[in-house]
Amino acid sequence: MRVRTLAVVLLAGGLALTACGKEGGPGDSGAAPTQQAAADVKVDGSATFEKMKNRGKVVIGVKEDQPGLGYKDPTSGKYTGFDVEIAKLVAAKLGFSDDKIEYKAIASAGREQALINGDVDYYVGTYTINAKRKEQVGFAGPYFTAGQDLLVAKDDNSITGPETLKGKKVCSVTGSTPIQKVKNEGLTEPENIVELQNYSQCVTQLQQGAVDAVTTDDAILKGYAAQEPDKMKVVGKPFSNEPYGIGLTKDDKPLRDKINDILDEAIKGGDWDKVYDATLGKSGSKAEKPVLDRY
Amino acid sequence: MDVLLDNLDLYGPGFLNTVELFLISAVGSLVLGTILAMLRVAPVPVFRFAGAAYVTIVRNTPLTLVFFFFAFAFPLLGIVDAGTFGGSASSYYWAAALAALILYTAAFVCEVIRSGINTVPVGQAEASRALGLTFGQMLGSIVLPQATRAVVPPMMSTLIALLKNTTIAAGFSVFQAGSISLNLSERGENQLIGLLWVALFFVVLVIPMTLLQRSLEKRWSVAR
């Protein structure tokens, strides 16, 4: 008797699950251009490239919780977003087709170590290029230029820019660059700063009214605003300059040059526009093309 | 060494907050844990059930979830207003972290004390009842003092675990030792070295607790 009940429950559960499983996620519409994998790619003197080739696939570090940039669809397990498409484009030009890519979701705090340890071949995930980081890792790019901005409730007209934050509760990720900027420049009182584990939690708190604004790069915020445009808006006055680069191991200059060539070609040849239009461009805002910083 | 000296503004306040968080929640969980242990050995079945239910539920919930509850779900219940609590956002999250740590650790403290009570011979309780002591008097002046002596080492382990558990608060807007490495990464410092310093400071914090445990063990072992 008990066995039969169990079987019925399992069967019903299974049916319910398959019925609920949506076909395709939000990232499937208006698909980004598929890249043809280049053949016979050579990157002389690059240890990382040698490793990729011997392995037969490329391991790319990405974010999984940033809609529009690097996002993992929990139902299909597919990665979508601008960063992911750039990562794919680079992989294709290095000779690795989509099925030869392995994504690894790595949070901000673990990026340097993942690159130093060789856990990933390269990292594409809202990784701001700065001098201090260049001491530990290498950067190709920038492939995108973002700026720090604010996400507020749709009906909140009291926050119009960084100078209006005094007395408001501001949320960002623990220890992240944007919240350190808020602290260093005293944009709001220290006791009004809320630091949580990820931006989604901040957005939840914003919707519940526990905080007044979420701050980070506009690219990330646009992704959230695009999900619920009737509830939240991006203030639209960026107050910093965040050039996103592709993280590499520090000393691999040949691979860095190669990826810079690939990005240069994509920016000039129109592939970059196609990728942008299919991802972040959906939020309706235009973006300026980045200028490569070769070193 | 540079990583430490260049970032003293993180390490100093970080560890001060850790110690503060630890001391308050240690006292809180010892008090609440003792009350729970008394419930669990009480002669009234309802009390015993309440104590057992608390321990079973809280001890089986991951601490991160307890934190999560107080940071995100609790305000929705409308008992307190997270927006105005204590006048600022940080005071709410600080209180939330303390509540999570105390309620969670109390379940473990309770079980440690209960195991101590079990080491006291039944004759002690029977003799005190024969003398006409009430349940409260029996527990307070005969059983608990003896039980406390038996539980010094496991209690110290529970407290050391509590000390390290405070780092979870980093994800819930409480700046302490656990937040240091997250800040270091954005400053572009070497995280491996940064974390080694954090580990070293934790050793420094645990050593006095170990010494206290030794001296208590020595002093009290004679009395039995």
Side-chain angles (χ1 to χ4, degrees):
Chain A
M1 180 60 198
R2 206 186 291 160
V3 174
R4 198 194 295 164
T5 321
L6 187 68
V8 167
V9 166
L10 281 178
L11 195 62
L15 283 175
L17 278 177
T18 45
C20 290
K22 255 192 294 175
E23 287 286 323
D28 285 0
S29 51
T34 29
Q35 306 291 339
Q36 206 62 44
D40 297 326
V41 185
K42 277 202 182 72
V43 186
D44 290 326
S46 166
T48 316
F49 187 73
E50 211 51 47
K51 213 171 72 184
M52 296 179 207
K53 254 198 144 166
N54 292 339
R55 201 195 293 129
K57 61 177 184 182
V58 53
V59 183
I60 309 177
V62 288
K63 292 266 175 77
E64 61 177 352
D65 57 351
Q66 290 175 345
L69 287 158
Y71 183 71
K72 186 181 183 183
D73 188 327
T75 49
S76 66
K78 265 190 189 167
Y79 284 89
T80 54
F82 182 77
D83 286 350
V84 173
E85 294 305 331
I86 290 285
K88 269 190 206 166
L89 185 145
V90 171
K93 295 286 192 279
L94 288 174
F96 297 91
S97 53
D98 277 8
D99 55 329
K100 297 272 174 14
I101 299 176
E102 184 190 328
Y103 295 105
K104 247 188 197 173
I106 289 167
S108 292
R111 293 183 290 203
E112 285 84 17
Q113 213 56 49
L115 286 167
I116 292 169
N117 295 353
D119 295 343
V120 297
D121 295 321
Y122 58 89
Y123 187 95
V124 195
T126 64
Y127 203 1
T128 301
I129 303 174
N130 65 34
K132 197 85 186 175
R133 281 179 181 160
K134 275 185 185 169
E135 289 170 16
Q136 291 194 68
V137 295
F139 285 104
Y143 61 88
F144 190 77
T145 311
Q148 186 172 351
D149 212 325
L150 301 161
L151 180 75
V152 296
K154 185 86 181 177
D155 52 3
D156 186 346
N157 294 319
S158 62
I159 300 175
T160 53
E163 64 285 343
T164 55
L165 282 180
K166 279 262 184 294
K168 304 280 183 185
K169 296 193 179 74
V170 181
C171 185
S172 196
V173 165
T174 309
S176 60
T177 312
I179 205 71
Q180 295 199 17
K181 193 176 170 72
V182 171
K183 277 185 207 165
N184 294 342
E185 299 186 3
L187 295 177
T188 187
E189 296 77 12
E191 66 268 20
N192 277 335
I193 288 172
V194 177
E195 295 182 74
L196 299 176
Q197 281 165 317
N198 52 50
Y199 294 115
S200 323
Q201 290 181 354
C202 279
V203 172
T204 315
Q205 294 295 72
L206 176 69
Q207 290 174 336
Q208 290 175 7
V211 300
D212 302 306
V214 179
T215 184
T216 184
D217 302 346
D218 53 358
I220 299 171
L221 297 178
K222 275 177 199 164
Y224 285 109
Q227 283 186 324
E228 283 178 274
D230 50 329
K231 281 191 189 148
M232 300 176 295
K233 64 179 180 194
V234 179
V235 167
K237 270 215 296 190
F239 51 101
S240 77
N241 189 23
E242 311 286 343
Y244 289 167
I246 296 182
L248 301 160
T249 46
K250 189 175 176 236
D251 298 319
D252 206 329
K253 189 162 162 54
L255 185 62
R256 190 165 75 221
D257 289 340
K258 176 75 184 167
I259 293 183
N260 273 329
D261 290 343
I262 294 171
L263 290 175
D264 197 31
E265 198 190 309
I267 292 167
K268 291 198 175 115
D271 274 350
W272 191 92
D273 298 87
K274 281 183 204 153
V275 168
Y276 182 81
D277 290 342
T279 51
L280 284 180
K282 284 184 187 165
S283 68
S285 55
K286 288 267 157 262
E288 285 203 15
K289 288 189 180 186
V291 182
L292 288 186
D293 159 39
R294 288 175 190 262
Y295 65 98
Chain B
M1 200 71 197
D2 283 351
V3 178
L4 175 67
L5 293 179
D6 292 347
N7 298 288
L8 272 181
D9 58 321
L10 289 179
Y11 282 95
F15 272 94
L16 272 181
N17 282 348
T18 295
V19 170
E20 196 179 334
L21 208 55
F22 166 70
L23 288 178
I24 299 175
S25 44
V27 172
S29 56
L30 283 175
V31 171
L32 182 61
T34 310
I35 296 171
L36 282 170
M38 287 159 78
L39 285 183
R40 292 211 67 176
V41 297
V44 187
V46 179
F47 287 177
R48 281 205 302 275
F49 176 77
Y54 181 94
V55 169
T56 314
I57 292 168
V58 176
R59 206 162 53 146
N60 286 312
T61 312
L63 179 55
T64 322
L65 273 186
V66 182
F67 264 101
F68 210 88
F69 172 78
F70 280 104
F72 299 113
F74 188 68
L76 294 181
L77 297 178
I79 300 169
V80 296
D81 184 357
T84 56
F85 183 87
S88 71
S90 58
S91 57
Y92 176 75
Y93 287 104
W94 176 258
L98 281 178
L101 284 170
I102 290 174
L103 292 181
Y104 179 79
T105 314
F108 291 87
V109 170
C110 163
E111 287 304 272
V112 168
I113 292 178
R114 199 171 62 93
S115 76
I117 292 175
N118 286 339
T119 65
V120 180
V122 190
Q124 297 277 330
E126 283 170 352
S128 57
R129 258 202 304 276
L131 286 171
L133 298 187
T134 63
F135 176 72
Q137 287 170 326
M138 183 257 284
L139 215 52
S141 50
I142 309 287
V143 177
L144 276 184
Q146 294 186 63
T148 316
R149 295 172 179 193
V151 299
V152 171
M155 188 64 82
M156 227 27 112
S157 300
T158 307
L159 290 181
I160 290 171
L162 166 65
L163 174 66
K164 292 183 278 193
N165 282 342
T166 56
T167 52
I168 295 181
F172 300 91
S173 205
V174 177
F175 181 76
Q176 34 70 29
S179 326
I180 293 174
S181 73
L182 300 168
N183 279 275
L184 284 181
S185 145
E186 294 294 321
R187 288 187 182 186
E189 298 282 6
N190 188 326
Q191 277 207 84
L192 216 55
I193 297 173
L195 277 175
L196 280 179
W197 283 111
V198 173
L200 188 74
F201 278 121
F202 269 107
V203 173
V204 171
L205 289 181
V206 168
I207 284 173
M209 295 167 71
T210 318
L211 292 178
L212 178 71
Q213 176 192 331
R214 291 251 174 81
S215 84
L216 286 181
E217 270 184 80
K218 244 188 221 145
R219 197 181 313 162
W220 285 348
S221 63
V222 196
R224 284 200 94 179

